[in-house]
mmCIF file of all heavy atoms in Angstrom:
data_model
loop_
_atom_site.group_PDB
_atom_site.id
_atom_site.type_symbol
_atom_site.label_atom_id
_atom_site.label_comp_id
_atom_site.label_asym_id
_atom_site.label_seq_id
_atom_site.Cartn_x
_atom_site.Cartn_y
_atom_site.Cartn_z
ATOM 1 N N PHE A 9 -47.042 67.305 -94.692
ATOM 2 C CA PHE A 9 -46.192 66.260 -95.313
ATOM 3 C C PHE A 9 -45.115 65.839 -94.340
ATOM 4 O O PHE A 9 -44.838 64.609 -94.349
ATOM 5 C CB PHE A 9 -45.504 66.883 -96.595
ATOM 6 C CG PHE A 9 -44.683 65.915 -97.323
ATOM 7 C CD1 PHE A 9 -45.177 64.910 -98.102
ATOM 8 C CD2 PHE A 9 -43.307 66.018 -97.093
ATOM 9 C CE1 PHE A 9 -44.375 63.991 -98.758
ATOM 10 C CE2 PHE A 9 -42.415 65.130 -97.742
ATOM 11 C CZ PHE A 9 -42.964 64.101 -98.545
ATOM 12 N N ALA A 10 -44.573 66.728 -93.594
ATOM 13 C CA ALA A 10 -43.518 66.318 -92.643
ATOM 14 C C ALA A 10 -44.063 65.440 -91.614
ATOM 15 O O ALA A 10 -43.390 64.498 -91.130
ATOM 16 C CB ALA A 10 -42.894 67.584 -91.978
ATOM 17 N N MET A 11 -45.333 65.588 -91.152
ATOM 18 C CA MET A 11 -45.883 64.782 -90.107
ATOM 19 C C MET A 11 -46.364 63.434 -90.655
ATOM 20 O O MET A 11 -46.203 62.417 -89.947
ATOM 21 C CB MET A 11 -47.027 65.562 -89.468
ATOM 22 C CG MET A 11 -47.692 64.812 -88.323
ATOM 23 S SD MET A 11 -49.031 65.774 -87.418
ATOM 24 C CE MET A 11 -47.972 66.952 -86.583
ATOM 25 N N HIS A 12 -46.898 63.434 -91.844
ATOM 26 C CA HIS A 12 -47.571 62.186 -92.329
ATOM 27 C C HIS A 12 -46.873 61.537 -93.509
ATOM 28 O O HIS A 12 -47.272 60.405 -93.884
ATOM 29 C CB HIS A 12 -49.021 62.477 -92.701
ATOM 30 C CG HIS A 12 -49.826 63.197 -91.579
ATOM 31 N ND1 HIS A 12 -50.169 62.393 -90.455
ATOM 32 C CD2 HIS A 12 -50.250 64.432 -91.409
ATOM 33 C CE1 HIS A 12 -50.832 63.187 -89.657
ATOM 34 N NE2 HIS A 12 -50.904 64.421 -90.153
ATOM 35 N N GLY A 13 -45.915 62.171 -94.096
ATOM 36 C CA GLY A 13 -45.110 61.559 -95.252
ATOM 37 C C GLY A 13 -45.925 61.466 -96.516
ATOM 38 O O GLY A 13 -45.522 60.827 -97.488
ATOM 39 N N VAL A 14 -47.111 62.158 -96.588
ATOM 40 C CA VAL A 14 -47.912 62.219 -97.804
ATOM 41 C C VAL A 14 -48.384 63.708 -97.938
ATOM 42 O O VAL A 14 -48.505 64.380 -96.924
ATOM 43 C CB VAL A 14 -49.060 61.275 -97.886
ATOM 44 C CG1 VAL A 14 -48.566 59.791 -97.982
ATOM 45 C CG2 VAL A 14 -49.958 61.446 -96.630
ATOM 46 N N THR A 15 -48.812 64.086 -99.083
ATOM 47 C CA THR A 15 -49.293 65.455 -99.207
ATOM 48 C C THR A 15 -50.777 65.468 -99.020
ATOM 49 O O THR A 15 -51.451 64.431 -99.175
ATOM 50 C CB THR A 15 -49.008 65.969 -100.670
ATOM 51 O OG1 THR A 15 -49.737 65.225 -101.608
ATOM 52 C CG2 THR A 15 -47.541 65.928 -100.985
ATOM 53 N N LEU A 16 -51.274 66.671 -98.723
ATOM 54 C CA LEU A 16 -52.771 66.828 -98.646
ATOM 55 C C LEU A 16 -53.405 66.451 -99.963
ATOM 56 O O LEU A 16 -54.473 65.829 -99.930
ATOM 57 C CB LEU A 16 -53.071 68.253 -98.323
ATOM 58 C CG LEU A 16 -53.163 68.699 -96.859
ATOM 59 C CD1 LEU A 16 -53.196 70.183 -96.710
ATOM 60 C CD2 LEU A 16 -54.349 68.015 -96.145
ATOM 61 N N GLU A 17 -52.766 66.736 -101.082
ATOM 62 C CA GLU A 17 -53.309 66.402 -102.397
ATOM 63 C C GLU A 17 -53.369 64.980 -102.537
ATOM 64 O O GLU A 17 -54.427 64.404 -103.132
ATOM 65 C CB GLU A 17 -52.438 67.063 -103.452
ATOM 66 C CG GLU A 17 -53.094 67.069 -104.847
ATOM 67 C CD GLU A 17 -54.267 67.941 -104.897
ATOM 68 O OE1 GLU A 17 -54.298 68.985 -104.294
ATOM 69 O OE2 GLU A 17 -55.229 67.536 -105.624
ATOM 70 N N ASN A 18 -52.414 64.234 -102.122
ATOM 71 C CA ASN A 18 -52.448 62.722 -102.235
ATOM 72 C C ASN A 18 -53.605 62.144 -101.513
ATOM 73 O O ASN A 18 -54.244 61.192 -101.973
ATOM 74 C CB ASN A 18 -51.118 62.151 -101.680
ATOM 75 C CG ASN A 18 -49.870 62.334 -102.511
ATOM 76 O OD1 ASN A 18 -48.784 62.469 -102.026
ATOM 77 N ND2 ASN A 18 -50.095 62.573 -103.891
ATOM 78 N N VAL A 19 -53.897 62.657 -100.297
ATOM 79 C CA VAL A 19 -54.878 62.124 -99.416
ATOM 80 C C VAL A 19 -56.267 62.572 -99.771
ATOM 81 O O VAL A 19 -57.186 61.780 -99.797
ATOM 82 C CB VAL A 19 -54.571 62.347 -97.939
ATOM 83 C CG1 VAL A 19 -55.568 61.634 -97.035
ATOM 84 C CG2 VAL A 19 -53.157 61.868 -97.631
ATOM 85 N N TYR A 20 -56.410 63.835 -99.998
ATOM 86 C CA TYR A 20 -57.772 64.428 -100.035
ATOM 87 C C TYR A 20 -58.043 65.197 -101.401
ATOM 88 O O TYR A 20 -59.015 65.893 -101.558
ATOM 89 C CB TYR A 20 -58.000 65.477 -98.930
ATOM 90 C CG TYR A 20 -57.968 64.815 -97.639
ATOM 91 C CD1 TYR A 20 -56.906 65.031 -96.678
ATOM 92 C CD2 TYR A 20 -59.027 64.025 -97.134
ATOM 93 C CE1 TYR A 20 -56.921 64.416 -95.406
ATOM 94 C CE2 TYR A 20 -59.007 63.453 -95.928
ATOM 95 C CZ TYR A 20 -57.943 63.624 -95.044
ATOM 96 O OH TYR A 20 -57.912 63.052 -93.803
ATOM 97 N N GLY A 21 -57.135 65.055 -102.422
ATOM 98 C CA GLY A 21 -57.226 65.817 -103.621
ATOM 99 C C GLY A 21 -58.534 65.887 -104.257
ATOM 100 O O GLY A 21 -59.101 66.978 -104.462
ATOM 101 N N GLU A 22 -59.197 64.758 -104.490
ATOM 102 C CA GLU A 22 -60.517 64.754 -105.158
ATOM 103 C C GLU A 22 -61.600 65.380 -104.244
ATOM 104 O O GLU A 22 -62.491 66.111 -104.740
ATOM 105 C CB GLU A 22 -60.950 63.305 -105.466
ATOM 106 C CG GLU A 22 -60.242 62.796 -106.716
ATOM 107 C CD GLU A 22 -60.455 63.588 -107.933
ATOM 108 O OE1 GLU A 22 -61.615 63.957 -108.243
ATOM 109 O OE2 GLU A 22 -59.474 63.945 -108.695
ATOM 110 N N LYS A 23 -61.571 65.149 -102.934
ATOM 111 C CA LYS A 23 -62.487 65.632 -102.102
ATOM 112 C C LYS A 23 -62.380 67.134 -101.774
ATOM 113 O O LYS A 23 -63.317 67.797 -101.293
ATOM 114 C CB LYS A 23 -62.434 64.906 -100.721
ATOM 115 C CG LYS A 23 -62.877 63.375 -100.847
ATOM 116 C CD LYS A 23 -62.840 62.706 -99.564
ATOM 117 C CE LYS A 23 -63.351 61.257 -99.656
ATOM 118 N NZ LYS A 23 -63.300 60.555 -98.376
ATOM 119 N N LEU A 24 -61.167 67.692 -102.081
ATOM 120 C CA LEU A 24 -60.970 69.105 -101.805
ATOM 121 C C LEU A 24 -61.528 70.045 -103.001
ATOM 122 O O LEU A 24 -61.770 71.209 -102.852
ATOM 123 C CB LEU A 24 -59.442 69.427 -101.683
ATOM 124 C CG LEU A 24 -58.760 68.895 -100.441
ATOM 125 C CD1 LEU A 24 -57.292 69.157 -100.510
ATOM 126 C CD2 LEU A 24 -59.369 69.575 -99.245
ATOM 127 N N LYS A 25 -61.670 69.323 -104.139
ATOM 128 C CA LYS A 25 -62.034 70.064 -105.391
ATOM 129 C C LYS A 25 -63.358 70.956 -105.193
ATOM 130 O O LYS A 25 -63.438 72.139 -105.472
ATOM 131 C CB LYS A 25 -62.189 69.251 -106.586
ATOM 132 C CG LYS A 25 -60.825 68.740 -107.168
ATOM 133 C CD LYS A 25 -60.985 67.854 -108.401
ATOM 134 C CE LYS A 25 -59.566 67.391 -108.865
ATOM 135 N NZ LYS A 25 -59.666 66.543 -110.060
ATOM 136 N N LYS A 26 -64.392 70.251 -104.697
ATOM 137 C CA LYS A 26 -65.619 70.857 -104.613
ATOM 138 C C LYS A 26 -65.649 72.107 -103.649
ATOM 139 O O LYS A 26 -66.110 73.165 -104.056
ATOM 140 C CB LYS A 26 -66.713 69.837 -104.156
ATOM 141 C CG LYS A 26 -68.170 70.407 -104.077
ATOM 142 C CD LYS A 26 -69.156 69.374 -103.683
ATOM 143 C CE LYS A 26 -70.568 69.950 -103.504
ATOM 144 N NZ LYS A 26 -71.525 68.940 -102.972
ATOM 145 N N PRO A 27 -65.210 71.940 -102.348
ATOM 146 C CA PRO A 27 -65.188 73.041 -101.460
ATOM 147 C C PRO A 27 -64.284 74.214 -101.953
ATOM 148 O O PRO A 27 -64.496 75.404 -101.696
ATOM 149 C CB PRO A 27 -64.724 72.556 -100.077
ATOM 150 C CG PRO A 27 -64.143 71.202 -100.409
ATOM 151 C CD PRO A 27 -64.765 70.737 -101.653
ATOM 152 N N LEU A 28 -63.241 73.815 -102.674
ATOM 153 C CA LEU A 28 -62.262 74.872 -103.260
ATOM 154 C C LEU A 28 -63.103 75.644 -104.339
ATOM 155 O O LEU A 28 -63.065 76.869 -104.421
ATOM 156 C CB LEU A 28 -61.034 74.332 -103.848
ATOM 157 C CG LEU A 28 -59.991 73.862 -102.807
ATOM 158 C CD1 LEU A 28 -58.938 72.999 -103.523
ATOM 159 C CD2 LEU A 28 -59.336 75.089 -102.189
ATOM 160 N N GLN A 29 -63.838 74.886 -105.252
ATOM 161 C CA GLN A 29 -64.543 75.598 -106.306
ATOM 162 C C GLN A 29 -65.753 76.365 -105.749
ATOM 163 O O GLN A 29 -66.107 77.444 -106.274
ATOM 164 C CB GLN A 29 -65.146 74.516 -107.179
ATOM 165 C CG GLN A 29 -64.054 73.845 -108.076
ATOM 166 C CD GLN A 29 -64.586 72.621 -108.853
ATOM 167 O OE1 GLN A 29 -65.652 72.153 -108.588
ATOM 168 N NE2 GLN A 29 -63.795 72.021 -109.704
ATOM 169 N N GLU A 30 -66.282 75.964 -104.588
ATOM 170 C CA GLU A 30 -67.358 76.679 -104.046
ATOM 171 C C GLU A 30 -66.979 77.860 -103.149
ATOM 172 O O GLU A 30 -67.779 78.652 -102.690
ATOM 173 C CB GLU A 30 -68.258 75.752 -103.165
ATOM 174 C CG GLU A 30 -69.016 74.706 -103.883
ATOM 175 C CD GLU A 30 -69.702 73.694 -102.937
ATOM 176 O OE1 GLU A 30 -69.392 73.678 -101.711
ATOM 177 O OE2 GLU A 30 -70.620 72.996 -103.411
ATOM 178 N N GLY A 31 -65.683 78.045 -103.076
ATOM 179 C CA GLY A 31 -65.182 79.191 -102.249
ATOM 180 C C GLY A 31 -65.282 79.014 -100.761
ATOM 181 O O GLY A 31 -65.221 79.887 -99.991
ATOM 182 N N LEU A 32 -65.323 77.724 -100.329
ATOM 183 C CA LEU A 32 -65.400 77.427 -98.881
ATOM 184 C C LEU A 32 -64.003 77.133 -98.374
ATOM 185 O O LEU A 32 -63.820 77.331 -97.193
ATOM 186 C CB LEU A 32 -66.273 76.176 -98.639
ATOM 187 C CG LEU A 32 -67.722 76.308 -99.183
ATOM 188 C CD1 LEU A 32 -68.498 75.035 -99.012
ATOM 189 C CD2 LEU A 32 -68.451 77.524 -98.544
ATOM 190 N N LEU A 33 -63.061 76.685 -99.142
ATOM 191 C CA LEU A 33 -61.701 76.494 -98.908
ATOM 192 C C LEU A 33 -60.886 77.333 -99.912
ATOM 193 O O LEU A 33 -61.360 77.609 -100.983
ATOM 194 C CB LEU A 33 -61.281 75.023 -98.987
ATOM 195 C CG LEU A 33 -61.743 74.004 -97.972
ATOM 196 C CD1 LEU A 33 -61.343 72.632 -98.368
ATOM 197 C CD2 LEU A 33 -61.149 74.402 -96.579
ATOM 198 N N CYS A 34 -59.720 77.709 -99.439
ATOM 199 C CA CYS A 34 -58.785 78.314 -100.383
ATOM 200 C C CYS A 34 -57.378 77.887 -99.993
ATOM 201 O O CYS A 34 -57.039 77.431 -98.915
ATOM 202 C CB CYS A 34 -58.875 79.916 -100.392
ATOM 203 S SG CYS A 34 -58.286 80.657 -98.822
ATOM 204 N N ARG A 35 -56.486 78.029 -101.071
ATOM 205 C CA ARG A 35 -55.076 77.746 -100.884
ATOM 206 C C ARG A 35 -54.312 79.045 -101.129
ATOM 207 O O ARG A 35 -54.418 79.704 -102.212
ATOM 208 C CB ARG A 35 -54.643 76.678 -101.993
ATOM 209 C CG ARG A 35 -54.823 75.245 -101.484
ATOM 210 C CD ARG A 35 -54.124 74.257 -102.443
ATOM 211 N NE ARG A 35 -53.970 73.022 -101.843
ATOM 212 C CZ ARG A 35 -54.475 71.842 -102.349
ATOM 213 N NH1 ARG A 35 -55.163 71.860 -103.504
ATOM 214 N NH2 ARG A 35 -54.184 70.715 -101.763
ATOM 215 N N GLU A 36 -53.454 79.404 -100.189
ATOM 216 C CA GLU A 36 -52.692 80.622 -100.271
ATOM 217 C C GLU A 36 -51.366 80.403 -99.575
ATOM 218 O O GLU A 36 -51.297 79.930 -98.363
ATOM 219 C CB GLU A 36 -53.385 81.828 -99.583
ATOM 220 C CG GLU A 36 -54.596 82.329 -100.342
ATOM 221 C CD GLU A 36 -55.236 83.476 -99.581
ATOM 222 O OE1 GLU A 36 -55.058 83.618 -98.376
ATOM 223 O OE2 GLU A 36 -55.977 84.199 -100.300
ATOM 224 N N ASN A 37 -50.238 80.683 -100.247
ATOM 225 C CA ASN A 37 -48.937 80.739 -99.622
ATOM 226 C C ASN A 37 -48.530 79.475 -98.863
ATOM 227 O O ASN A 37 -47.978 79.521 -97.803
ATOM 228 C CB ASN A 37 -48.778 81.923 -98.691
ATOM 229 C CG ASN A 37 -49.113 83.284 -99.379
ATOM 230 O OD1 ASN A 37 -48.625 83.534 -100.520
ATOM 231 N ND2 ASN A 37 -49.831 84.139 -98.710
ATOM 232 N N GLY A 38 -48.919 78.347 -99.447
ATOM 233 C CA GLY A 38 -48.570 77.061 -98.853
ATOM 234 C C GLY A 38 -49.533 76.552 -97.753
ATOM 235 O O GLY A 38 -49.217 75.625 -97.015
ATOM 236 N N PHE A 39 -50.703 77.288 -97.563
ATOM 237 C CA PHE A 39 -51.654 76.913 -96.533
ATOM 238 C C PHE A 39 -52.931 76.544 -97.190
ATOM 239 O O PHE A 39 -53.354 77.164 -98.147
ATOM 240 C CB PHE A 39 -51.776 78.057 -95.506
ATOM 241 C CG PHE A 39 -50.706 78.289 -94.454
ATOM 242 C CD1 PHE A 39 -49.597 78.983 -94.983
ATOM 243 C CD2 PHE A 39 -50.799 77.753 -93.286
ATOM 244 C CE1 PHE A 39 -48.554 79.212 -94.021
ATOM 245 C CE2 PHE A 39 -49.778 77.935 -92.402
ATOM 246 C CZ PHE A 39 -48.639 78.630 -92.752
ATOM 247 N N LEU A 40 -53.644 75.592 -96.603
ATOM 248 C CA LEU A 40 -55.118 75.346 -96.942
ATOM 249 C C LEU A 40 -55.898 75.774 -95.789
ATOM 250 O O LEU A 40 -55.616 75.359 -94.607
ATOM 251 C CB LEU A 40 -55.280 73.816 -97.185
ATOM 252 C CG LEU A 40 -56.734 73.405 -97.435
ATOM 253 C CD1 LEU A 40 -57.187 73.748 -98.837
ATOM 254 C CD2 LEU A 40 -56.856 71.901 -97.193
ATOM 255 N N ARG A 41 -56.854 76.695 -96.039
ATOM 256 C CA ARG A 41 -57.670 77.292 -95.001
ATOM 257 C C ARG A 41 -59.108 77.412 -95.349
ATOM 258 O O ARG A 41 -59.492 77.363 -96.544
ATOM 259 C CB ARG A 41 -57.104 78.560 -94.478
ATOM 260 C CG ARG A 41 -57.199 79.647 -95.557
ATOM 261 C CD ARG A 41 -56.661 80.974 -94.949
ATOM 262 N NE ARG A 41 -56.783 82.049 -95.948
ATOM 263 C CZ ARG A 41 -57.855 82.750 -96.273
ATOM 264 N NH1 ARG A 41 -59.027 82.459 -95.629
ATOM 265 N NH2 ARG A 41 -57.850 83.664 -97.140
ATOM 266 N N LEU A 42 -59.953 77.538 -94.337
ATOM 267 C CA LEU A 42 -61.396 77.815 -94.616
ATOM 268 C C LEU A 42 -61.492 79.311 -94.984
ATOM 269 O O LEU A 42 -60.819 80.159 -94.330
ATOM 270 C CB LEU A 42 -62.174 77.605 -93.295
ATOM 271 C CG LEU A 42 -62.404 76.102 -92.919
ATOM 272 C CD1 LEU A 42 -63.082 76.067 -91.473
ATOM 273 C CD2 LEU A 42 -63.305 75.391 -93.863
ATOM 274 N N THR A 43 -62.413 79.655 -95.832
ATOM 275 C CA THR A 43 -62.796 81.002 -96.046
ATOM 276 C C THR A 43 -63.799 81.428 -94.984
ATOM 277 O O THR A 43 -64.199 80.588 -94.192
ATOM 278 C CB THR A 43 -63.449 81.194 -97.432
ATOM 279 O OG1 THR A 43 -64.597 80.418 -97.463
ATOM 280 C CG2 THR A 43 -62.512 80.759 -98.553
ATOM 281 N N ARG A 44 -64.163 82.695 -94.947
ATOM 282 C CA ARG A 44 -65.179 83.144 -94.021
ATOM 283 C C ARG A 44 -66.491 82.305 -94.214
ATOM 284 O O ARG A 44 -67.056 81.858 -93.251
ATOM 285 C CB ARG A 44 -65.412 84.600 -94.212
ATOM 286 C CG ARG A 44 -66.547 85.172 -93.294
ATOM 287 C CD ARG A 44 -66.150 84.982 -91.821
ATOM 288 N NE ARG A 44 -67.351 85.145 -90.931
ATOM 289 C CZ ARG A 44 -68.048 84.119 -90.566
ATOM 290 N NH1 ARG A 44 -67.890 82.897 -90.977
ATOM 291 N NH2 ARG A 44 -69.150 84.255 -89.784
ATOM 292 N N ARG A 45 -66.901 82.127 -95.468
ATOM 293 C CA ARG A 45 -68.095 81.356 -95.698
ATOM 294 C C ARG A 45 -67.865 79.891 -95.259
ATOM 295 O O ARG A 45 -68.786 79.218 -94.739
ATOM 296 C CB ARG A 45 -68.389 81.317 -97.253
ATOM 297 C CG ARG A 45 -69.068 82.645 -97.702
ATOM 298 C CD ARG A 45 -69.281 82.591 -99.214
ATOM 299 N NE ARG A 45 -70.037 81.405 -99.578
ATOM 300 C CZ ARG A 45 -69.863 80.662 -100.665
ATOM 301 N NH1 ARG A 45 -68.858 80.979 -101.478
ATOM 302 N NH2 ARG A 45 -70.662 79.634 -100.937
ATOM 303 N N GLY A 46 -66.705 79.409 -95.458
ATOM 304 C CA GLY A 46 -66.413 78.011 -95.031
ATOM 305 C C GLY A 46 -66.480 77.789 -93.614
ATOM 306 O O GLY A 46 -66.817 76.682 -93.100
ATOM 307 N N MET A 47 -66.196 78.808 -92.776
ATOM 308 C CA MET A 47 -66.280 78.690 -91.336
ATOM 309 C C MET A 47 -67.674 78.350 -90.868
ATOM 310 O O MET A 47 -67.924 77.593 -89.938
ATOM 311 C CB MET A 47 -65.816 79.862 -90.585
ATOM 312 C CG MET A 47 -64.295 80.067 -90.657
ATOM 313 S SD MET A 47 -63.803 81.541 -89.681
ATOM 314 C CE MET A 47 -61.986 81.515 -89.913
ATOM 315 N N ASP A 48 -68.713 78.891 -91.572
ATOM 316 C CA ASP A 48 -70.089 78.647 -91.226
ATOM 317 C C ASP A 48 -70.535 77.134 -91.498
ATOM 318 O O ASP A 48 -71.475 76.770 -90.869
ATOM 319 C CB ASP A 48 -70.984 79.547 -92.001
ATOM 320 C CG ASP A 48 -70.998 80.966 -91.456
ATOM 321 O OD1 ASP A 48 -70.590 81.179 -90.278
ATOM 322 O OD2 ASP A 48 -71.330 81.973 -92.190
ATOM 323 N N VAL A 49 -69.841 76.528 -92.377
ATOM 324 C CA VAL A 49 -70.229 75.148 -92.750
ATOM 325 C C VAL A 49 -69.087 74.140 -92.563
ATOM 326 O O VAL A 49 -68.970 73.172 -93.287
ATOM 327 C CB VAL A 49 -70.813 75.054 -94.195
ATOM 328 C CG1 VAL A 49 -72.091 75.795 -94.328
ATOM 329 C CG2 VAL A 49 -69.767 75.652 -95.206
ATOM 330 N N GLN A 50 -68.268 74.485 -91.557
ATOM 331 C CA GLN A 50 -67.060 73.645 -91.357
ATOM 332 C C GLN A 50 -67.385 72.171 -91.179
ATOM 333 O O GLN A 50 -66.728 71.284 -91.690
ATOM 334 C CB GLN A 50 -66.265 74.154 -90.078
ATOM 335 C CG GLN A 50 -64.988 73.379 -89.818
ATOM 336 C CD GLN A 50 -64.523 73.562 -88.380
ATOM 337 O OE1 GLN A 50 -65.295 73.730 -87.478
ATOM 338 N NE2 GLN A 50 -63.187 73.405 -88.226
ATOM 339 N N ASN A 51 -68.405 71.916 -90.366
ATOM 340 C CA ASN A 51 -68.793 70.474 -90.123
ATOM 341 C C ASN A 51 -69.106 69.765 -91.413
ATOM 342 O O ASN A 51 -68.784 68.566 -91.616
ATOM 343 C CB ASN A 51 -69.909 70.391 -89.078
ATOM 344 C CG ASN A 51 -69.481 70.769 -87.716
ATOM 345 O OD1 ASN A 51 -68.313 70.784 -87.422
ATOM 346 N ND2 ASN A 51 -70.452 71.083 -86.929
ATOM 347 N N ARG A 52 -69.869 70.417 -92.325
ATOM 348 C CA ARG A 52 -70.169 69.723 -93.540
ATOM 349 C C ARG A 52 -68.974 69.463 -94.447
ATOM 350 O O ARG A 52 -68.849 68.405 -94.964
ATOM 351 C CB ARG A 52 -71.074 70.717 -94.370
ATOM 352 C CG ARG A 52 -71.768 70.120 -95.584
ATOM 353 C CD ARG A 52 -72.324 71.078 -96.568
ATOM 354 N NE ARG A 52 -71.356 71.405 -97.564
ATOM 355 C CZ ARG A 52 -71.476 72.405 -98.471
ATOM 356 N NH1 ARG A 52 -72.543 73.215 -98.370
ATOM 357 N NH2 ARG A 52 -70.596 72.638 -99.389
#
């Protein structure tokens, strides 16, 4: 947000839902990160 003036949710909210639900991404302590499974399919 400090760099771009918008939140991740504002920009990618809808597109984040699927990988979050599939356990490929997770949100913890103010960070969005890949899970171990997500690292294998990062490009996708």
Side-chain angles (χ1 to χ4, degrees):
F9 180 78
M11 181 176 288
H12 303 291
V14 291
T15 66
L16 272 168
E17 192 65 35
N18 290 151
V19 182
Y20 296 109
E22 284 300 314
K23 293 181 178 180
L24 292 175
K25 286 181 180 179
K26 183 180 177 183
L28 284 166
Q29 290 169 353
E30 292 177 342
L32 304 177
L33 287 173
C34 70
R35 275 191 161 123
E36 289 180 338
N37 304 317
F39 285 82
L40 175 73
R41 64 175 180 82
L42 290 169
T43 63
R44 176 63 197 91
R45 285 178 54 219
M47 285 185 180
D48 285 338
V49 291
Q50 182 199 28
N51 288 341
R52 192 195 94 190

